[in-house]
Amino acid sequence: NPSSTGFITIKSNYNKTIRTQLFDLLGKEVIHNQLINNRLDISDLNAGVYILKLTQNNRTTTKKLIIQ
């Protein structure tokens, strides 16, 4: 899932708010917000590898995100 567009789209089967947290590889939180229109703005971030934590309906998943 490399991204170079300035945003990523996150889809869900549920119609509930998705809380997002994005961490760099050192564990520092760089984004903490709720999704708007299923898009997460990553345009201010430097290229690199990040860990994306998504929470919805008291369920959490984590994904690796690569920004080019």
Side-chain angles (χ1 to χ4, degrees), residues 2-48:
S3 177
S4 59
T5 61
F7 68 90
I8 57 172
T9 301
I10 300 171
K11 295 183 180 182
S12 172
N13 293 333
Y14 303 102
N15 195 18
K16 300 277 184 176
T17 301
I18 300 174
R19 189 178 73 215
T20 60
Q21 292 175 277
L22 191 66
F23 302 91
D24 64 15
L25 288 182
L26 298 175
K28 179 182 175 190
E29 186 176 62
V30 293
I31 292 179
H32 183 138
N33 61 19
Q34 294 183 355
L35 284 187
I36 299 173
N37 299 327
N38 294 330
R39 287 188 172 189
L40 179 62
D41 183 4
I42 56 170
S43 61
D44 291 337
L45 298 177
N46 295 324

Side-chain angles (χ1 to χ4, degrees), residues 36-64:
I36 299 173
N37 299 327
N38 294 330
R39 287 188 172 189
L40 179 62
D41 183 4
I42 56 170
S43 61
D44 291 337
L45 298 177
N46 295 324
V49 179
Y50 296 86
I51 303 299
L52 178 62
K53 181 178 175 183
L54 304 169
T55 304
Q56 183 182 45
N57 290 342
N58 294 324
R59 294 182 181 199
T60 300
T61 187
T62 57
K63 302 289 182 184
K64 179 170 62 171

